[in-house]
Amino acid sequence: MANLTLVYGMRLLPSDEISEVGDAPIQLKNGNQARVTMHILEGSREDIEKQLRQSLEAFFDFYPEI
């Protein structure tokens, strides 16, 4: 299997300051463009860490071949 790249980004903001979250564009070397769906996790630090671990585990469940 070829090497893979996991694309992600993180930023902590006060919950009441977010009005909208959109997809993030990715430019591919072949000239095509892809998009990354952004996700929001809210709560205490412990809540966010727990949700992030669960999301990461669920993400890899979509790709059982890797």
Side-chain angles (χ1 to χ4, degrees):
M1 173 171 275
N3 282 337
L4 302 170
T5 301
L6 177 65
V7 179
Y8 71 98
M10 285 194 261
R11 175 140 185 197
L12 276 176
L13 298 164
S15 293
D16 59 350
E17 290 187 12
I18 299 171
S19 67
E20 184 177 330
V21 175
D23 292 343
I26 299 173
Q27 188 65 44
L28 304 177
K29 288 182 179 181
N30 66 6
N32 291 335
Q33 209 177 55
R35 302 196 73 74
V36 174
T37 302
M38 305 303 288
H39 299 270
I40 294 176
L41 303 175
E42 295 180 315
S44 67
R45 176 182 173 159
E46 292 79 18
D47 294 338
I48 291 171
E49 288 175 347
K50 181 180 177 184
Q51 292 173 66
L52 184 57
R53 281 191 295 276
Q54 290 172 340
S55 292
L56 187 58
E57 289 171 6
F59 174 80
F60 282 105
D61 286 345
F62 286 114
Y63 300 96
E65 69 276 6
I66 59 171

